[in-house]
Amino acid sequence: MMFYTEYDEISRADYAAAAYILTDCCKRFPSYSELSKRLAELYDASLNSSTSLGTWDKRCTSVRASILADRYALEGEKLEEEMCGLLCECVLNPNADNGAFDEQVTALMRSELIDTIDSVINDKAAYAAQNAARTAFVGEPQALSPNGTHEQAEKVTPQSAYKAYRKILETAHIEIMCAGSSDFSAAETIFTRSFSVNNGIMRHDICQTSIIPSPLKSEPVYVSDTMPMEQAIVRMYFKAPDVSDKYANIMFVMILGGMTMSRFFRNIREKQSLCYYCAATGSFYKKYLCAYAGVQPQNIKRTQDAILSEINDIVENGVSDEDISAALLEIHNTLTTLYDSANAIGNWYLNRLPDNEITTPEQYWEEIQKVTSGRIQAVAEQYKLDTVYTLSGGDGE
């Protein structure tokens, strides 16, 4: 289950804490140990929840369950029915009374949330990404950590977390997705019945599912941060608010820095030995590309120039047949493994939600094979430098 909500006046940490609490216990199993015991009885089934920046650039409160298919049950147990019912119990009947979650559960989840927020400082790549986003996406949801700040987390109370939980139920755009070998008729029946009951929930101001491309700054912004560290991290954001060729855009990012033998890897890491890693990611829907690298401080400027040079080369000359073949091979290998995992199948279709038409992996493969060097070149021409962020020990050029 995915609950999409807008960022609003309620603390981001309250929403994150509420998500944690939902799969820690419920009315039927009011403690983590009781809930865990029940999950263990269901062939080691699992429940988990999280808060993230999800599809449509909204907050996504995700509540997931996994279980064996009924046909594998040793004694004919209705595992799908039981698990879907338990999932609904956690979401719709949490361990709460009088407008507040359980005090002890809230205290534990608050502590875990604070640890999660504080742990980012120990992951330099995550810390750089979080700080860089504040500049690259200023004024947009992507600039904000879905977990909130340490200060917000310290202020989470049973009442404030419950208020966020109610806001989720009342205003969220809800997507329920099932993936696996079942026909999910039992799941459909249970979810329909559970969510058709009012439960005192008045739905209103439902979150709108639309994406606004990230605007390109009039001039690139340069930001440098320092902290005790021997290496350095470079993050460069490029934006193309009007790019419309989705499949060529995907190929452009792949060839540039999104695959094993990308141009960044071959030319910047291997040939020039400028960095430990150099890769690229991006969002067609948000219309941005991020190139990132781990470097020695003395190579910061040279790496930035090399990244710009690779993009400019594609703008001027397009890409080779070998580049396209390598990208297609990597994409094909990824697509062929999707059906090995129910989670991968679910994520595939979840990521297709912003499209006007949901495409299967097979349809996607048909379209991606049609991309030409000229189409990739046309996409590359639209990307302009927006933000350059560096994190180092302060000894770079």
Side-chain angles (χ1 to χ4, degrees):
M1 293 182 188
M2 308 294 175
F3 299 83
Y4 295 96
T5 51
E6 303 282 0
Y7 283 75
D8 57 23
E9 76 283 354
I10 298 177
S11 161
R12 284 173 281 133
D14 285 316
Y15 282 100
Y20 278 28
I21 292 169
L22 289 181
T23 52
D24 189 76
C25 58
C26 61
K27 278 286 188 183
R28 183 178 165 198
F29 300 102
S31 70
Y32 178 73
S33 60
E34 291 174 284
L35 181 58
S36 296
K37 180 181 178 181
R38 181 55 185 151
L39 291 173
E41 292 170 349
L42 297 173
Y43 299 88
D44 198 28
S46 67
L47 272 171
N48 62 80
S49 52
S50 63
T51 298
S52 63
L53 181 73
T55 309
W56 297 298
D57 211 10
K58 312 297 182 185
R59 175 192 293 106
C60 177
T61 301
S62 170
V63 185
R64 297 175 181 248
S66 64
I67 197 161
L68 289 174
D70 285 356
R71 67 174 181 268
Y72 296 114
L74 297 178
E75 299 180 9
E77 299 97 325
K78 300 297 184 181
L79 300 178
E80 179 182 326
E81 183 176 317
E82 176 64 24
M83 196 61 186
C84 290
L86 185 55
L87 180 60
C88 289
E89 285 275 347
C90 289
V91 171
L92 300 174
N93 294 295
N95 185 9
D97 287 301
N98 301 316
F101 284 120
D102 179 83
E103 178 73 48
Q104 185 175 356
V105 171
T106 304
L108 179 60
M109 295 301 102
R110 181 174 57 239
S111 177
E112 288 192 14
L113 177 60
I114 289 173
D115 288 343
T116 298
I117 293 171
D118 290 348
S119 68
V120 174
I121 194 68
N122 297 318
D123 184 337
K124 301 301 186 292
Y127 180 81
Q130 181 174 285
N131 281 7
R134 293 172 184 168
T135 299
F137 305 106
V138 62
E140 303 174 66
Q142 205 156 345
L144 305 171
S145 166
N147 284 328
T149 66
H150 180 106
E151 292 73 22
Q152 287 178 342
E154 286 186 326
K155 296 177 182 178
V156 170
T157 66
Q159 292 78 16
S160 66
Y162 186 81
K163 182 179 179 181
Y165 157 74
R166 292 292 298 191
K167 192 69 177 289
I168 292 171
L169 291 188
E170 292 168 1
T171 68
H173 170 89
I174 305 173
E175 294 281 347
I176 299 178
M177 189 168 294
C178 301
S181 58
S182 170
D183 65 2
F184 297 110
S185 56
E188 183 178 0
T189 298
I190 292 170
F191 291 143
T192 300
R193 181 176 66 239
S194 298
F195 280 85
S196 63
V197 177
N198 183 272
N199 286 327
I201 300 167
M202 300 300 293
R203 298 274 288 163
H204 62 90
D205 300 325
I206 306 304
C207 180
Q208 297 301 302
T209 55
S210 61
I211 300 179
I212 300 174
S214 186
L216 175 67
K217 297 177 179 60
S218 57
E219 295 291 338
V221 174
Y222 295 80
V223 176
S224 296
D225 280 344
T226 60
M227 66 183 307
M229 57 188 296
E230 294 183 2
Q231 301 172 11
I233 295 171
V234 172
R235 295 184 68 87
M236 302 176 71
Y237 293 82
F238 302 80
K239 296 181 182 178
D242 298 321
V243 68
S244 59
D245 191 338
K246 180 177 72 172
Y247 293 101
N249 190 86
I250 291 167
M251 290 288 281
F252 171 56
V253 177
M254 285 284 294
I255 290 169
L256 191 66
M259 62 181 184
T260 306
M261 291 302 292
S262 69
R263 292 176 63 135
F264 282 172
F265 179 86
R266 297 196 318 267
N267 299 332
I268 300 178
R269 184 187 185 277
E270 295 297 290
K271 290 182 180 179
Q272 301 182 61
S273 300
L274 287 176
C275 52
Y276 302 101
Y277 62 86
C278 190
T281 188
S283 167
F284 169 74
Y285 304 110
K286 287 296 290 181
K287 317 297 186 188
Y288 81 88
L289 158 73
C290 176
Y292 57 97
V295 303
Q296 285 291 339
Q298 64 269 22
N299 288 331
I300 289 175
K301 182 63 167 59
R302 291 177 62 196
T303 301
Q304 292 172 353
D305 291 342
I307 289 171
L308 291 171
S309 178
E310 290 299 322
I311 295 175
N312 288 335
D313 185 64
I314 295 178
V315 170
E316 294 176 2
N317 304 307
V319 297
S320 68
D321 291 342
E322 290 77 12
D323 283 333
I324 291 177
S325 295
L328 289 176
L329 178 61
E330 188 127 351
I331 291 171
H332 185 264
N333 288 341
T334 299
L335 293 177
T336 55
T337 62
L338 281 177
Y339 295 105
D340 294 340
S341 164
N343 189 54
I345 297 171
N347 285 335
W348 170 268
Y349 286 102
L350 187 66
N351 290 331
R352 308 275 86 74
L353 289 177
D355 294 334
N356 293 327
E357 182 179 356
I358 301 298
T359 55
T360 65
E362 292 75 19
Q363 291 169 326
Y364 178 96
W365 175 240
E366 289 180 9
E367 292 299 321
I368 206 74
Q369 291 180 89
K370 299 175 184 177
V371 175
T372 63
S373 176
R375 286 172 61 183
I376 296 171
Q377 186 175 8
V379 165
E381 290 173 350
Q382 297 181 66
Y383 277 93
K384 308 300 178 186
L385 185 61
D386 179 270
T387 301
V388 178
Y389 174 90
T390 59
L391 175 67
S392 70
D395 298 324
E397 295 180 358

